[in-house]
Amino acid sequence: MTATTGAPTGPPSPAQPLFILAMDHRDSFGRTLFGVKGEPTGEQLTAMRDAKSLIFAAARRLAGTDLGGGRLGVLVDEQLGADVAREARQAGFTLAMPVEASGADRFTFEYGDDFAAHVEAFNPDWIKVLVRFNPADPAELRQAQTQTLRQLSDWAAASRRHWLLELLVPPTREQLTAHDDQALYDERQRPELTVEVITSLTGSGVHPRIWTLEGYETTAGAQLVLDAVRDSGSAASCIVLGRNAPQRQVDHWLDVAAPLQGFVGFAIGRSIWDEPIADHLAGRADADTTQARIAERYGHFIHRYLQADVTPGEDAGLEQPFTFTHPRLTPDREAAIRKAVAGADPRGSRVPAWMVQSLLAEVDALRADESDDSA
């Protein structure tokens, strides 16, 4: 395996995943960490820029470490992270920068019709746009966002620029009520809704090179979305978001995504740096300690992804990772899986309950498939 920070030689791939430390937050960054109300003061702007420089200094601590052939990346905005963007390029990080206005309910360009000039000024490896899109949104909103995304897609193609679409599919009030809570919505309905969005957008000529997607609770849900991306006719790949979730939840999302061929990395932000920066601002940690904590969390998720993406050794009892990508289910494999998860529960168990449910669901599905084939 090659240790590389990674000046990019092309789009990421399963062999060369991209590990993005996301810090392009602007509206939420100021509001939740710095108490910004309305327009930030000069003092607040300086403090926010210093915080982003601190986050990037932490990321640089991983340069030169073994990334399993992967690349380090940073997603940062111009308003609060212009210096970070320039330093990231010089340090060999893959650089991504947003073009959307922060905190808006619908996608609009941060710099209006001048967005292209701002992109050219920094020349990032990737441009990024975040959009919240649910098939149940009002038709006018869906149409407006689709048109603006098509404008970006056409410009990127003409300019030969790579772009990634960070897609959030938040539940409507009715959808959330139907599933009782966010977790059940994420598992039972969000994959199908995401497929609808991807199909609608690609059918309207929106073709990002990478779909940046919320994590999936099951392999089946993730594969459903990957199939939609593949069926769109483009060569797009996917990376998984952190969505400010706790470490245990993000670990699960990475475990689900990494073994699947369509996923090529992650983009994680607040799950890595939010708590350390809050402690630093409150005077509970100095700059060096804060950098060390952020670097440790960033490295943890990189190693978690790489660990989930490799084939277990012979002592694991399985020749290949057990997912729908490697669906060879034999009686000895099934016995090993059921023995490993027997009696597991979320209270201190080495195998959390949600992982048990996912594994056993895959086992049962594969067993059903074999029964159908033999009928």
Side-chain angles (χ1 to χ4, degrees):
M1 292 185 291
T2 303
T4 178
T5 302
T9 57
S13 67
Q16 286 190 312
L18 177 59
F19 305 122
I20 295 177
L21 179 56
M23 60 172 108
D24 63 320
H25 310 72
R26 286 148 282 166
D27 181 71
S28 63
F29 193 70
R31 185 179 65 255
T32 61
L33 289 171
F34 296 87
V36 174
K37 298 178 180 178
E39 289 297 319
T41 65
E43 183 178 355
Q44 287 172 328
L45 284 171
T46 298
M48 288 189 285
R49 288 166 180 156
D50 289 345
K52 293 205 173 186
S53 292
L54 185 64
I55 295 169
F56 181 63
R60 294 191 69 161
R61 294 191 177 200
L62 274 71
T65 60
D66 186 357
L67 303 174
R71 313 167 182 172
L72 296 178
V74 63
L75 169 59
V76 68
D77 60 290
E78 176 181 342
Q79 179 191 19
L80 302 176
D83 289 342
V84 169
R86 298 185 185 100
E87 292 174 17
R89 290 299 301 269
Q90 293 174 357
F93 280 67
T94 295
L95 174 63
M97 298 187 74
V99 296
E100 82 279 355
S102 180
D105 292 333
R106 66 175 65 195
F107 166 41
T108 57
F109 291 109
E110 182 171 15
Y111 298 105
D113 292 338
D114 292 333
F115 81 90
H118 287 261
V119 171
E120 299 295 342
F122 284 87
N123 192 30
D125 303 298
W126 293 84
I127 53 177
K128 165 260 179 185
V129 59
L130 180 150
V131 64
R132 296 173 178 84
F133 201 115
N134 189 302
D137 288 339
E140 181 274 332
L141 175 60
R142 287 185 279 115
Q143 182 178 3
Q145 296 211 115
T146 300
Q147 289 176 345
T148 311
L149 285 168
R150 175 63 186 270
Q151 179 185 352
L152 176 62
S153 187
D154 289 346
W155 175 83
S159 304
R160 297 191 175 185
R161 287 199 169 274
H162 293 311
W163 71 289
L164 56 88
L165 199 165
E166 182 176 329
L167 176 62
L168 303 180
V169 187
T172 64
R173 182 175 300 178
E174 293 76 16
Q175 290 165 351
L176 193 60
T177 299
H179 296 286
D180 295 327
D181 62 22
Q182 179 77 40
L184 290 176
Y185 162 79
D186 284 342
E187 179 179 353
R188 297 175 180 176
Q189 190 171 18
R190 180 162 53 79
E192 290 81 2
L193 293 177
T194 304
V195 167
E196 289 188 50
V197 176
I198 290 172
T199 302
S200 174
L201 291 178
T202 55
S204 299
V206 176
H207 296 290
R209 184 62 183 79
I210 290 178
W211 293 89
T212 308
L213 303 170
E214 300 166 273
Y216 293 98
E217 300 303 319
T218 66
T219 299
Q223 190 62 58
L224 189 70
V225 175
L226 290 177
D227 290 344
V229 172
R230 180 200 62 207
D231 293 344
S232 70
S234 67
S237 300
C238 301
I239 59 179
V240 64
L241 289 169
R243 209 176 70 178
N244 198 27
Q247 179 174 301
R248 170 184 262 182
Q249 182 66 71
V250 179
D251 284 348
H252 174 56
W253 291 338
L254 298 181
D255 289 345
V256 169
L260 302 179
Q261 278 296 308
F263 280 96
V264 294
F266 65 67
I268 303 174
R270 291 174 295 171
S271 299
I272 294 174
W273 49 255
D274 190 76
E275 184 179 356
I277 289 295
D279 286 345
H280 177 64
L281 294 174
R284 294 187 290 267
D286 61 21
D288 186 68
T289 300
T290 302
Q291 286 187 34
R293 290 178 65 194
I294 294 171
E296 188 278 330
R297 292 182 181 207
Y298 187 21
H300 167 85
F301 289 131
I302 290 173
H303 292 300
R304 185 79 184 204
Y305 188 97
L306 293 173
Q307 185 180 38
D309 192 31
V310 299
T311 302
E314 294 181 1
D315 57 345
L318 297 176
E319 296 176 87
Q320 300 182 50
F322 184 78
T323 71
F324 285 127
T325 306
H326 307 289
R328 292 189 300 161
L329 181 64
T330 61
D332 59 319
R333 284 173 178 246
E334 182 174 356
I337 291 169
R338 293 192 182 277
K339 180 179 179 181
V341 302
D345 66 61
R347 295 169 294 184
S349 172
R350 295 181 64 185
V351 185
W354 48 256
M355 187 180 294
V356 174
Q357 294 167 357
S358 180
L359 282 169
L360 294 183
E362 292 184 16
V363 170
D364 292 339
L366 290 171
R367 180 62 66 219
D369 286 345
E370 291 182 357
S371 297
D372 291 342
D373 291 341
S374 61

mmCIF file of all heavy atoms in Angstrom, residues 2-19:
data_model
loop_
_atom_site.group_PDB
_atom_site.id
_atom_site.type_symbol
_atom_site.label_atom_id
_atom_site.label_comp_id
_atom_site.label_asym_id
_atom_site.label_seq_id
_atom_site.Cartn_x
_atom_site.Cartn_y
_atom_site.Cartn_z
ATOM 1 N N THR A 2 0.425 2.251 -0.710
ATOM 2 C CA THR A 2 1.203 3.459 -0.852
ATOM 3 C C THR A 2 0.727 4.515 0.121
ATOM 4 O O THR A 2 -0.458 4.792 0.226
ATOM 5 C CB THR A 2 1.081 4.010 -2.290
ATOM 6 O OG1 THR A 2 1.500 3.006 -3.184
ATOM 7 C CG2 THR A 2 1.933 5.242 -2.468
ATOM 8 N N ALA A 3 1.665 5.142 0.807
ATOM 9 C CA ALA A 3 1.329 6.259 1.677
ATOM 10 C C ALA A 3 1.348 7.528 0.854
ATOM 11 O O ALA A 3 2.365 7.891 0.280
ATOM 12 C CB ALA A 3 2.335 6.355 2.829
ATOM 13 N N THR A 4 0.218 8.170 0.761
ATOM 14 C CA THR A 4 0.137 9.359 -0.074
ATOM 15 C C THR A 4 -0.885 10.322 0.463
ATOM 16 O O THR A 4 -1.910 9.932 0.984
ATOM 17 C CB THR A 4 -0.224 8.999 -1.533
ATOM 18 O OG1 THR A 4 -0.345 10.198 -2.288
ATOM 19 C CG2 THR A 4 -1.525 8.238 -1.620
ATOM 20 N N THR A 5 -0.564 11.587 0.377
ATOM 21 C CA THR A 5 -1.568 12.598 0.660
ATOM 22 C C THR A 5 -2.469 12.716 -0.539
ATOM 23 O O THR A 5 -3.674 12.781 -0.445
ATOM 24 C CB THR A 5 -0.900 13.949 0.960
ATOM 25 O OG1 THR A 5 -0.029 13.785 2.059
ATOM 26 C CG2 THR A 5 -1.926 15.003 1.279
ATOM 27 N N GLY A 6 -1.869 12.755 -1.721
ATOM 28 C CA GLY A 6 -2.645 12.617 -2.918
ATOM 29 C C GLY A 6 -2.947 13.858 -3.677
ATOM 30 O O GLY A 6 -4.026 14.406 -3.604
ATOM 31 N N ALA A 7 -1.985 14.418 -4.448
ATOM 32 C CA ALA A 7 -2.370 15.318 -5.499
ATOM 33 C C ALA A 7 -3.082 14.449 -6.508
ATOM 34 O O ALA A 7 -2.548 13.449 -6.974
ATOM 35 C CB ALA A 7 -1.145 15.977 -6.111
ATOM 36 N N PRO A 8 -4.325 14.738 -6.859
ATOM 37 C CA PRO A 8 -5.145 13.789 -7.604
ATOM 38 C C PRO A 8 -4.658 13.565 -9.013
ATOM 39 O O PRO A 8 -4.224 14.480 -9.691
ATOM 40 C CB PRO A 8 -6.531 14.452 -7.602
ATOM 41 C CG PRO A 8 -6.256 15.902 -7.428
ATOM 42 C CD PRO A 8 -5.040 15.996 -6.571
ATOM 43 N N THR A 9 -4.702 12.315 -9.451
ATOM 44 C CA THR A 9 -4.404 11.993 -10.836
ATOM 45 C C THR A 9 -5.678 11.663 -11.593
ATOM 46 O O THR A 9 -5.632 11.344 -12.766
ATOM 47 C CB THR A 9 -3.447 10.784 -10.893
ATOM 48 O OG1 THR A 9 -4.053 9.684 -10.212
ATOM 49 C CG2 THR A 9 -2.121 11.114 -10.207
ATOM 50 N N GLY A 10 -6.808 11.740 -10.953
ATOM 51 C CA GLY A 10 -8.090 11.441 -11.556
ATOM 52 C C GLY A 10 -9.123 11.283 -10.471
ATOM 53 O O GLY A 10 -8.821 11.439 -9.289
ATOM 54 N N PRO A 11 -10.358 10.981 -10.842
ATOM 55 C CA PRO A 11 -11.403 10.795 -9.830
ATOM 56 C C PRO A 11 -11.057 9.653 -8.893
ATOM 57 O O PRO A 11 -10.333 8.724 -9.253
ATOM 58 C CB PRO A 11 -12.640 10.467 -10.673
ATOM 59 C CG PRO A 11 -12.348 11.034 -12.026
ATOM 60 C CD PRO A 11 -10.873 10.872 -12.212
ATOM 61 N N PRO A 12 -11.567 9.685 -7.668
ATOM 62 C CA PRO A 12 -11.316 8.585 -6.736
ATOM 63 C C PRO A 12 -11.945 7.297 -7.239
ATOM 64 O O PRO A 12 -12.847 7.302 -8.073
ATOM 65 C CB PRO A 12 -11.955 9.074 -5.442
ATOM 66 C CG PRO A 12 -12.990 10.058 -5.866
ATOM 67 C CD PRO A 12 -12.426 10.724 -7.078
ATOM 68 N N SER A 13 -11.478 6.199 -6.705
ATOM 69 C CA SER A 13 -11.945 4.877 -7.107
ATOM 70 C C SER A 13 -11.915 3.978 -5.884
ATOM 71 O O SER A 13 -11.370 4.350 -4.838
ATOM 72 C CB SER A 13 -11.033 4.310 -8.198
ATOM 73 O OG SER A 13 -9.735 4.053 -7.653
ATOM 74 N N PRO A 14 -12.477 2.761 -5.976
ATOM 75 C CA PRO A 14 -12.361 1.847 -4.845
ATOM 76 C C PRO A 14 -10.920 1.582 -4.437
ATOM 77 O O PRO A 14 -10.632 1.376 -3.264
ATOM 78 C CB PRO A 14 -13.042 0.575 -5.363
ATOM 79 C CG PRO A 14 -14.050 1.076 -6.357
ATOM 80 C CD PRO A 14 -13.372 2.227 -7.030
ATOM 81 N N ALA A 15 -9.999 1.603 -5.411
ATOM 82 C CA ALA A 15 -8.582 1.382 -5.103
ATOM 83 C C ALA A 15 -7.921 2.625 -4.539
ATOM 84 O O ALA A 15 -6.927 2.533 -3.816
ATOM 85 C CB ALA A 15 -7.841 0.922 -6.355
ATOM 86 N N GLN A 16 -8.450 3.801 -4.867
ATOM 87 C CA GLN A 16 -7.913 5.070 -4.379
ATOM 88 C C GLN A 16 -9.054 5.917 -3.819
ATOM 89 O O GLN A 16 -9.487 6.895 -4.422
ATOM 90 C CB GLN A 16 -7.209 5.837 -5.497
ATOM 91 C CG GLN A 16 -5.859 5.266 -5.889
ATOM 92 C CD GLN A 16 -5.117 6.221 -6.820
ATOM 93 O OE1 GLN A 16 -5.681 6.725 -7.794
ATOM 94 N NE2 GLN A 16 -3.859 6.468 -6.525
ATOM 95 N N PRO A 17 -9.570 5.543 -2.644
ATOM 96 C CA PRO A 17 -10.686 6.303 -2.076
ATOM 97 C C PRO A 17 -10.260 7.694 -1.636
ATOM 98 O O PRO A 17 -9.077 7.960 -1.384
ATOM 99 C CB PRO A 17 -11.109 5.443 -0.875
ATOM 100 C CG PRO A 17 -9.882 4.666 -0.517
ATOM 101 C CD PRO A 17 -9.159 4.410 -1.805
ATOM 102 N N LEU A 18 -11.237 8.572 -1.552
ATOM 103 C CA LEU A 18 -11.011 9.967 -1.166
ATOM 104 C C LEU A 18 -11.605 10.195 0.220
ATOM 105 O O LEU A 18 -12.795 9.954 0.442
ATOM 106 C CB LEU A 18 -11.660 10.902 -2.184
ATOM 107 C CG LEU A 18 -11.584 12.404 -1.910
ATOM 108 C CD1 LEU A 18 -10.145 12.875 -1.798
ATOM 109 C CD2 LEU A 18 -12.318 13.169 -3.012
ATOM 110 N N PHE A 19 -10.778 10.676 1.133
ATOM 111 C CA PHE A 19 -11.203 10.902 2.511
ATOM 112 C C PHE A 19 -11.247 12.406 2.767
ATOM 113 O O PHE A 19 -10.225 13.036 3.062
ATOM 114 C CB PHE A 19 -10.248 10.213 3.481
ATOM 115 C CG PHE A 19 -10.075 8.738 3.214
ATOM 116 C CD1 PHE A 19 -8.818 8.208 2.960
ATOM 117 C CD2 PHE A 19 -11.166 7.884 3.202
ATOM 118 C CE1 PHE A 19 -8.652 6.860 2.712
ATOM 119 C CE2 PHE A 19 -11.021 6.529 2.951
ATOM 120 C CZ PHE A 19 -9.751 6.007 2.703
#
